[in-house]
Amino acid sequence: MSVSAPVYPTRWRRPARMLRDRRWRLLVQGAALAYLVVALGSFEVEWSRVVEGLSRAQRFAHGFLQPDFISRWSDIRQGLIESLTMTLTATVVGVAISVPIGIGGARNLVPASVYGLCRAIIAVSRSLQEIIIAIFLVAMFGFGPLAGFVTLSFASIGFIAKLLADDIEEIDPRQVEAIRATGAGWWQVLHYAIQPQVMPRLIGLSLYRLDINFRESAVIGIVGAGGIGATLNTAIDRYEYDSAGAILLIVIAIVMLAEYGSSYLRRFLQ
């Protein structure tokens, strides 16, 4: 039996309009433009501070072009070690916790009660920004990398578990049905039908979260959660823009290295 090839449209067609009446379209566009004008007018801009800030920006750009890696190298090294330690440990712990929560958040694998509980955990983790969690944990645990580690671990759960659960719900059901037809149990279906389909995606998500956690470690350090961000904040407060430029260059170099390394690793695993 011959299978006919799918027929694709040869001409582009404009999508259907939500508002067919031209008067309604003009009304909505005018309301959006008016809101934009009012919103921009509500900004209270102090032009004297803007002019003063331009001179600071010039000094910062000069320090960025002439970075100083020597004067505060001991502090930079300590902050960098803390950031890398927080990044690696938080990513490993976050992935380890995210896998069971992601499985429980897949509607096609678990009962409704387990699904609702896991999705609630994911929603709570995703609803709070890392900087807010870091402020709260710094108040609990004090200044240092412990607050940063817990912050990045908690944030990793919402990121990885959410995407993993969505991937499990979108798997090919034929492979699951084939494994179940052999009399396999739930764990065997999970191991032989689910894992092969989502494992490459989980590895890619873990590497991507590793990259995010390092960049976030530089942000949460500003509020006292340790890492290279604390060193950067101290350098800026002391107007040591050459040291701040050196720290930013180090962060950029590590992020680029992680990006190229993760791309190579994903190609190798696939």
Side-chain angles (χ1 to χ4, degrees), residues 55-260:
S55 62
R56 294 176 181 171
Q58 183 179 4
R59 293 199 304 268
F60 181 78
H62 181 73
F64 189 83
L65 295 175
Q66 295 181 351
D68 181 10
F69 296 91
I70 306 300
S71 299
R72 301 195 60 196
W73 173 245
S74 59
D75 295 333
I76 295 175
R77 182 182 60 184
Q78 180 64 28
L80 187 60
I81 292 175
E82 287 185 358
S83 284
L84 293 176
T85 302
M86 287 192 302
T87 299
L88 293 174
T89 54
T91 303
V92 172
V93 173
V95 171
I97 300 176
S98 298
V99 169
I101 295 178
I103 294 173
R107 191 189 300 271
N108 56 342
L109 284 183
V110 296
S113 59
V114 178
Y115 170 81
L117 176 61
C118 292
R119 284 289 178 171
I121 296 174
I122 294 173
V124 171
S125 177
R126 287 170 53 82
S127 62
L128 299 175
Q129 183 66 20
E130 285 87 343
I131 193 70
I132 300 176
I133 304 173
I135 293 173
F136 177 72
L137 293 177
V138 166
M140 287 181 58
F141 302 130
F143 296 99
L146 177 60
F149 161 73
V150 179
T151 298
L152 297 178
S153 299
F154 183 76
S156 298
I157 294 173
F159 178 84
I160 297 177
K162 160 71 174 175
L163 297 178
L164 177 61
D166 293 343
D167 288 338
I168 294 177
E169 290 180 346
E170 296 174 359
I171 61 173
D172 187 0
R174 294 173 296 180
Q175 187 170 344
V176 178
E177 294 174 0
I179 298 298
R180 284 176 177 168
T182 63
W186 188 86
W187 285 104
Q188 293 172 317
V189 171
L190 181 65
H191 180 67
Y192 293 104
I194 308 297
Q195 178 182 342
Q197 298 189 60
V198 301
M199 183 57 72
R201 174 68 169 166
L202 177 60
I203 295 174
L205 290 175
S206 301
L207 295 173
Y208 183 42
R209 187 64 210 185
L210 181 70
D211 181 9
I212 294 176
N213 282 342
F214 179 76
R215 287 185 281 112
E216 290 295 335
S217 69
V219 177
I220 62 177
I222 297 176
V223 297
I228 195 67
T231 309
L232 176 62
N233 188 42
T234 302
I236 294 177
D237 289 340
R238 296 179 178 177
Y239 300 102
E240 298 175 353
Y241 295 123
D242 49 358
S243 298
I247 295 172
L248 291 177
L249 288 175
I250 292 175
V251 171
I252 293 173
I254 293 179
V255 170
M256 292 181 62
L257 182 63
E259 177 67 22
Y260 293 135

Side-chain angles (χ1 to χ4, degrees), residues 41-57:
S42 64
F43 294 155
E44 298 180 358
V45 181
E46 297 182 11
W47 294 107
S48 60
R49 295 192 61 182
V50 172
V51 174
E52 183 181 355
L54 291 176
S55 62
R56 294 176 181 171

Side-chain angles (χ1 to χ4, degrees), residues 9 11-16:
R11 298 181 62 184
W12 179 82
R13 294 183 179 180
R14 181 190 297 273

